[in-house]
Amino acid sequence: MEHRSGSDVPNLDELAELRARADAGDRRAAGRLGELLVKQGDLEDAVRVWGQAYGDDSPTTRRLAQLLAERGDLEGAVRVWRFSDQVWQNPAGLQTEFLDTLDGCERLERQDDPEDWAFMEAEQLAGLLAERGDEAAIAELQARADAGDPAAAKRPAG
């Protein structure tokens, strides 16, 4: 399949083909489909597509994106998936086009090590779970705060 340039809007045939391939387990197609859905403004479907394709390998990313979507923050959920290694490293994706939309500081943030991404996701997930009263997340944040983690110390306790 030919990939379209940044200004082109995907046609229905392309979306249908990508959806069929994604449903059949083609993760590259799922990554591209999600990004094209975002371009069309269908953030909810993009988050769903990425969750199905990559969620088993990225349970923290999937859970964080779900929590953000439940809170009505679909843009945040999309950012979480776009920040994930699977979507970011997808060679059929739209990373270059996405990078072109960012200013210099945001671009540098996207060039962090994937291990940093995983830590940031886990930290954000723990914070969201603690806000919901999740006792394990509250205990985790308290332990990190007790160990001197200033970010954990700033979090409200449930």
Side-chain angles (χ1 to χ4, degrees), residues 42-142:
D42 193 349
L43 306 185
E44 188 172 352
D45 198 22
V47 168
R48 186 194 58 73
V49 165
W50 286 328
Q52 285 179 332
Y54 305 119
D56 289 343
D57 292 335
S58 300
T60 302
T61 304
R62 177 180 53 205
R63 184 69 177 128
L64 178 56
Q66 285 173 338
L67 285 174
L68 290 168
E70 287 172 13
R71 293 174 71 161
D73 186 2
L74 286 172
E75 289 178 1
V78 165
R79 276 192 304 275
V80 165
W81 275 116
R82 278 187 160 165
F83 206 55
S84 74
D85 194 45
Q86 291 86 354
V87 174
W88 185 246
Q89 299 300 326
N90 183 348
L94 303 171
Q95 311 89 309
T96 303
E97 180 181 323
F98 176 64
L99 281 174
D100 289 343
T101 68
L102 303 177
D103 68 25
C105 291
E106 289 174 322
R107 186 182 291 255
L108 285 176
E109 285 178 16
R110 296 296 181 163
Q111 294 171 347
D112 285 341
D113 187 305
E115 288 180 17
D116 293 337
W117 301 345
F119 175 78
M120 289 184 283
E121 281 183 351
E123 186 175 70
Q124 187 178 6
L125 178 59
L128 288 175
L129 289 171
E131 288 174 14
R132 292 175 69 146
D134 182 285
E135 291 182 24
I138 293 168
E140 176 188 333
L141 288 174
Q142 187 59 53

